Amino acid sequence: MPIAFTTTPGLVIYLTAGDPDLATTRDMAIAAIDAGADVIELGVPFSDPLADGPVIQRASERAVARGTRLSDVLDCSLDIRRLRPNAGIILFSYLNPVVRMGLTEFCQAAKANGADGVLLTDMIVEEGVEYLAAMRENGLAPVFLAAPTSPDDRLKAIAENSQGFVYAISRVGITGTQSELATDAKTLVDRLRRFTTLPIALGFGVSTADHVREVGKFADAAVIGSAIVALIEKTPAADAPKAVGNFIRALRPGGAAR
Amino acid sequence: MGTATQLTSPAPMPAASTPGRFGVYGGRYVPETLMAALLELDHAYAAAQADEAFHMELNGLLKDYVGRPTPLYFAKRMTEILGGAKIYLKREDLLHTGAHKINNALGQALLARRMGKQRIIAETGAGQHGVATATVCALFGLECVVYMGEEDMRRQELNVFRMRLLGAEVRGVSSGSATLKDAINEAMRDWVTNVRSTFYILGSALGSHPYPTMVRDFHRVISKESKRQIMEHEGRLPDAIIACVGGGSNAIGAFYEYIPDRNVQLIGVEAGGRGTALGEHAARFQGGLPGVLQGTYSYVLQNDAGQVASTHSVSAGLDYASVGPEHAMLHDSGRATYTSATDDEALEATKTLSRTEGIIPALETAHAVAEAIKLAPKMGKDKIIMVNVSGRGDKDIGIMTREMDLSGAAAVSA
């Protein structure tokens, strides 16, 4: 299982697959890994991304408009896996494209295409019986979201059913950048620690080097999503991999290697 | 998509032990952030259901403020002209604010007040749920934000003004197709962000548990009344009940008490739009497949990659890519049948009802009327059809003006 955070904090980088195009997504993922990303979250674009803020909504809309399909994202995962055998790859999707493909078929394909794990935005632990069984059969790590609003019994179930890492949401709300990390964030991570020894990655609103340094004080990894997607939005496709690499290097000045 | 593949759910999502299931449909498929709020709502609703004082207050307001019971009216001229089954109209259009939507908006607002939530959000398609929500918020002094697709704001301009007049803030949604689905996405984003202070009054029998059950319960009064009323008129139950189905709240309310009465045919009418190609209609049971949209597992109009399809209907209230999960169950079990009426048929039915009975229906309702017009002549004169007139047509006068040519028309063309 290559999901491992080798630096403090580790970096999880979210990319909306197919924005601006699949080849660029692959090249940006490689650039991100080479710049120090531990895990790539490969986002499957969806027509109705109700947990996402405007930046990822727009990226998703562009990728869907280009005809990007779940099967294309799986192909992209395989390309990344072949080029960088040791990086972590998580497929990040809303449920419906997965249901349409079939849970079993999806999990088999995810495994065959080099993914290490899956995060389904609108799948809660209680509804995940068939999903978790299919994930287990294929040796994939399910990653669940934990929210500041989740009571302890839910955090416990989320921690127990996650593998690889637990994704802690830094604040109530949708994805998007913000100027300061919410105080909710540390409280949530501390609460989660009582239920798990898995690494805890903190996402939603983590966008700057200062944030990453702050996250490193209490969590194991930072998830950067909207800030990268916004950068990609304003950068010509040909320059995007380099820009993504530079952005990630600047998030951890000095490298902070452990 | 052909109907042959309709029932081949590629991944049955049952987990039948989880709450809020209608057969395999329903459930709770939401971002984790909303779970605490859904559980809180579930508990509060159960407590309210068990509290006599809640029902007394709700029933008192339904009677004195909303105008229940609504009449069950025998449409004599329409029956004669169609020459078949007797047609009864359940007049939800006579309710305060002009549609059935207020039954549910009032119930949920009372619940919000019990829960101490001061800020209300809602989505709206045709604007009727938005108006009903703005109305009850004015009644109880609650802050109200309504999300509405910009396309719908254009076509239901009158309702936008009504909401604003009632003190609600109407926020336009420009993403996607700028219709009901997109308004729900935006309302859910608001709810995720303001979950601690905000109550989401969802307007149809959709979304995550407990909404489909709760919304149905608040509209059950329609079939409770109509059952008693038809017994008074006819001494027996109807042979068929017809209701239009967008999300399906008026239909589930009109059907519910009759579900055990196997001899009563339940007919839901979806929007056939302007053609059978994906994107040209909102007939989920004819072109959709089981999937997950906006928190629930039900039929969804989608492409073969699982992207939700755009929809079209002349009526904003039926223009939605999914359908309430209880209807999905009633469809699969065969207890209810689902048909569709096209834009043109709905417009024609609007004229017919207006000119035979002096009742201008909402364009949503007109889809149910269109089915009655098709069905009644095929049935004997001893048969009885009940149509749920879910709303009145005032809000649609702008669309009707554009879509109908009334020049020279004088009498009903029957």
Side-chain angles (χ1 to χ4, degrees), chain A residues 16 31 40 68 72 94 104 114 123 159 177 190 207 245:
Chain A
T16 300
I40 299 295
T68 311
D72 299 323
Y94 287 85
T104 307
M123 177 63 96
T177 59
D190 291 346
S207 58

Side-chain angles (χ1 to χ4, degrees), chain A residues 225-241:
Chain A
S226 296
I228 299 258
V229 175
L231 172 71
I232 295 164
E233 184 174 48
K234 64 178 191 199
T235 308
D239 304 332

Side-chain angles (χ1 to χ4, degrees), chain A residues 47-49 96 127 150 154, chain B residues 21 28 32 181 189 307:
Chain A
S47 51
D48 292 85
N96 199 56
E127 303 283 8
S150 307
R154 297 194 59 76
Chain B
R21 289 282 163 183
R28 277 192 291 230
E32 172 63 22
K181 171 174 80 75
R189 289 181 187 119
Q307 302 296 346

Side-chain angles (χ1 to χ4, degrees), chain A residues 48-84:
Chain A
D48 292 85
L50 57 78
D52 283 301
V55 170
I56 294 178
Q57 280 179 53
R58 287 198 300 271
S60 208
E61 225 167 88
R62 288 190 296 267
V64 169
R66 288 184 66 92
T68 311
R69 305 164 62 94
L70 175 54
S71 55
D72 299 323
V73 182
L74 288 162
D75 290 345
C76 185
S77 166
L78 184 59
D79 288 346
I80 298 166
R81 170 57 66 230
R82 282 181 175 147
L83 291 163
R84 294 293 179 275

Side-chain angles (χ1 to χ4, degrees), chain A residues 45-52 57 61 64 68-69 95-97 99-103 105 121-124 126-127 129-130 145-151 154 158 169 172-174 184, chain B residues 10-15 18 21 27-33 35-36 39 175-176 181-182 185-186 188-189 192-193 195-196 289-294 297 302-308:
Chain A
F46 183 51
S47 51
D48 292 85
L50 57 78
D52 283 301
Q57 280 179 53
E61 225 167 88
V64 169
T68 311
R69 305 164 62 94
L95 193 47
N96 199 56
V99 170
R100 186 74 191 87
M101 179 176 278
L103 275 178
E105 292 81 352
T121 318
D122 44 359
M123 177 63 96
I124 56 167
E126 296 94 310
E127 303 283 8
V129 177
E130 292 84 359
L145 297 168
T149 47
S150 307
R154 297 194 59 76
I158 287 161
I169 299 173
V172 296
I174 52 180
D184 278 349
Chain B
M13 303 291 300
T18 55
R21 289 282 163 183
R28 277 192 291 230
Y29 298 99
V30 289
E32 172 63 22
T33 308
M35 274 310 294
L39 292 169
S175 58
K181 171 174 80 75
D182 312 289
N185 284 338
E186 212 50 45
M188 288 188 78
R189 289 181 187 119
V192 171
T193 306
V195 62
R196 289 169 174 134
L289 285 166
V292 172
L293 179 64
Q294 296 171 335
Y297 182 57
Q302 54 184 305
N303 72 12
D304 61 356
Q307 302 296 346
V308 178

